[in-house]
Amino acid sequence: MNQIHLPDNLIRMRHKRNITQEQLADFLGVTKASVSKWENHQSMPDILLLPKLAAFFDVSIDQLMGYEPQLSKEQIQKIYQDLSEEFVSNSFTETMKKSQELVKKYYSCYPFLLQICVLWINHFMLPEDMEEQQKILNQTEQLCEHIIQICNAVNICNDAIALKALVGLQMGKAQEAVEALEELTDPMRISGQNDLLLIQAYQMIGDNQKANDYTQITMYTHLMALVGASIQYLAVNMANEDSCQETIRRMETILHTYEIDSLHPNISAQFYYQSALVNAFHGKQTNALAYLREYAKMVTILFEMKELKLHGDHYFDRLDQWIEQLTLGGDPPRSQKMLSEHYQETLNHPLFVSFQDNQEFQELKNSLSQEHGRNQK
């Protein structure tokens, strides 16, 4: 919604600078009464005075007027989907330029800017020129910093901090990422229990429906976080075979119990792929191929879905409504075409070099190539 807040902004900025109405009037060459009328919603300054007012307070005219172009969740979702498709089907340079123009147009719509950061992070690797990739990462970092410094919404700022850390990792700034994330993700902070406290609060006021909804959401998000953490654990501890095999055993039980293969085939695919890497690292080709079969099966399931979207199931039957409320709904951050290209490349990992003469491995590669071919049409 577009609104003008000039009167309130004048009062706020004048008080912040400890400027009286008379001092402001003297600078502008108007009467104190004129400034008073502006602040009391009785009149508006002449349009020719706006640049002078903005210069006095060192802000843009849009900031002075309080004009904040805001996009709805549906509009943000549509723009993201369109740009994501255009990045892989049209000119990358032109699409990037289009996204940059949209940033300028909606520079104060922070939910939109946050999703543009997500968009750039998920597509910066498309140009072959490494300097161009670095330039996009720099722009993403700067946009994240703009959100962090200006936006008043804590959740959006926290997401921007996390995205900036992710960009930092891509740029080799690991120490900066550690410093930014340590406090944000400190497990000892009371805020880490907010979801459980909210569920209890809903119960106490008798709103059992919301208590049930948030319980499901919390279980689902923590479950996916557990699977994601196990994937990282396997990567970090790859040399420790016993620990990795025990992690795989336990996580397979969880995947089976909660039917994650059908609930979230993408995260299951990541788990099976990492399990294959672990076994390949330790020279267990038979086990590695077994997990690659599961991996290929998940990829096939993904691309056989009518819509590549997050969803609930018969147990998590309250998720779909929550998923629809997310900024991107249940849509993936990358287009289906780009995802298929990623999956096709995964079997070129150096740990699978010794598998190249294996017939089953070649069949798995061919099946992923066929999926990729279908998604290019």
Side-chain angles (χ1 to χ4, degrees), residues 2-13:
N2 301 336
Q3 296 180 341
I4 304 300
H5 301 286
L6 176 64
D8 296 333
N9 284 345
L10 279 180
I11 295 171
R12 176 178 56 79
M13 290 187 288

Side-chain angles (χ1 to χ4, degrees), residues 191-365:
S191 60
Q193 302 296 316
N194 283 353
D195 45 8
L196 301 180
L197 291 173
L198 180 59
I199 292 166
Q200 292 177 32
Y202 279 135
Q203 284 183 294
M204 290 179 69
I205 65 174
D207 196 338
N208 290 328
Q209 185 60 66
K210 282 193 175 180
N212 180 46
D213 290 350
Y214 274 85
T215 301
Q216 280 204 16
I217 294 167
T218 300
M219 290 171 64
Y220 174 82
T221 54
H222 286 199
L223 180 61
M224 296 307 153
L226 176 61
V227 179
S230 75
I231 295 168
Q232 292 298 318
Y233 189 78
L234 291 175
V236 170
N237 292 279
M238 187 174 288
N240 188 337
E241 184 177 5
D242 290 343
S243 180
C244 283
Q245 295 299 349
E246 181 63 13
T247 300
I248 292 171
R249 185 188 69 80
R250 294 189 181 206
M251 290 311 304
E252 282 185 309
T253 300
I254 290 174
L255 263 61
H256 175 73
T257 301
Y258 283 93
E259 301 179 7
I260 295 177
D261 285 2
S262 58
L263 180 66
H264 200 312
N266 185 47
I267 201 165
S268 288
Q270 294 175 48
F271 171 77
Y272 293 132
Y273 180 75
Q274 190 62 47
S275 299
L277 289 177
V278 167
N279 281 278
F281 180 82
H282 291 284
K284 296 188 173 180
Q285 188 177 98
T286 301
N287 289 350
L289 286 170
Y291 286 114
L292 285 178
R293 281 198 299 273
E294 294 302 314
Y295 171 67
K297 187 188 299 181
M298 293 302 101
V299 174
T300 300
I301 290 173
L302 275 169
F303 292 117
E304 285 180 348
M305 294 168 62
K306 292 181 179 179
E307 289 184 294
L308 199 58
K309 298 172 74 74
L310 291 176
H311 57 86
D313 64 6
H314 63 282
Y315 178 74
F316 289 105
D317 58 356
R318 303 297 302 171
L319 282 185
D320 289 336
Q321 184 178 359
W322 166 68
I323 289 170
E324 286 304 313
Q325 293 174 359
L326 301 175
T327 304
L328 294 182
D331 294 320
R334 300 180 188 178
S335 69
Q336 188 162 321
K337 183 178 179 180
M338 188 172 178
L339 283 173
S340 70
E341 292 176 353
H342 164 73
Y343 289 129
Q344 186 190 28
E345 289 297 318
T346 54
L347 295 192
N348 293 326
H349 194 284
L351 283 174
F352 300 141
V353 170
S354 62
F355 293 14
Q356 297 304 317
D357 294 331
N358 183 284
Q359 183 178 351
E360 183 178 6
F361 182 77
Q362 289 301 323
E363 289 173 355
L364 289 171
K365 287 192 72 171

Side-chain angles (χ1 to χ4, degrees), residues 1 29 31 55 61 73 83 114 116 122 210 274 343 358 363:
M1 186 178 201
T31 65
I61 292 178
K73 178 178 72 69
L83 290 173
L114 187 71
I116 287 293
N122 279 284
K210 282 193 175 180
Q274 190 62 47
Y343 289 129
N358 183 284
E363 289 173 355

Side-chain angles (χ1 to χ4, degrees), residues 87-249:
F87 266 128
V88 294
S89 59
N90 298 338
S91 164
F92 180 89
T93 301
E94 289 302 314
T95 305
M96 188 66 194
K97 183 178 179 181
K98 181 178 179 180
S99 68
Q100 291 166 337
E101 290 300 319
L102 287 167
V103 165
K104 293 177 182 178
K105 184 175 181 179
Y106 300 107
Y107 201 54
S108 61
C109 182
Y110 301 109
F112 173 70
L113 297 185
L114 187 71
Q115 295 308 318
I116 287 293
C117 291
V118 174
L119 179 79
W120 288 350
I121 289 171
N122 279 284
H123 296 84
F124 81 93
M125 71 294 294
L126 290 179
E128 294 183 4
D129 186 351
M130 297 297 291
E131 289 187 9
E132 182 64 21
Q133 292 185 14
Q134 187 70 26
K135 183 179 177 182
I136 296 169
L137 287 174
N138 285 332
Q139 290 180 20
T140 309
E141 186 178 47
Q142 292 167 11
L143 191 54
C144 286
E145 185 61 28
H146 167 68
I147 297 170
I148 294 165
Q149 293 297 325
I150 307 298
C151 181
N152 294 321
V154 175
N155 59 330
I156 293 178
C157 287
N158 286 345
D159 285 347
I161 291 171
L163 288 175
K164 184 181 176 184
L166 178 57
V167 173
L169 290 177
Q170 295 287 348
M171 299 172 70
K173 301 178 181 179
Q175 185 57 45
E176 291 183 20
V178 168
E179 293 170 1
L181 293 173
E182 273 187 338
E183 182 178 356
L184 193 65
T185 58
D186 184 354
M188 301 304 293
R189 294 181 66 177
I190 296 175
S191 60
Q193 302 296 316
N194 283 353
D195 45 8
L196 301 180
L197 291 173
L198 180 59
I199 292 166
Q200 292 177 32
Y202 279 135
Q203 284 183 294
M204 290 179 69
I205 65 174
D207 196 338
N208 290 328
Q209 185 60 66
K210 282 193 175 180
N212 180 46
D213 290 350
Y214 274 85
T215 301
Q216 280 204 16
I217 294 167
T218 300
M219 290 171 64
Y220 174 82
T221 54
H222 286 199
L223 180 61
M224 296 307 153
L226 176 61
V227 179
S230 75
I231 295 168
Q232 292 298 318
Y233 189 78
L234 291 175
V236 170
N237 292 279
M238 187 174 288
N240 188 337
E241 184 177 5
D242 290 343
S243 180
C244 283
Q245 295 299 349
E246 181 63 13
T247 300
I248 292 171
R249 185 188 69 80

Side-chain angles (χ1 to χ4, degrees), residues 18-34:
N18 293 318
I19 301 296
T20 65
Q21 287 183 341
E22 188 172 9
Q23 288 172 310
L24 179 58
D26 287 343
F27 177 83
L28 296 172
V30 299
T31 65
K32 177 185 175 183
S34 294

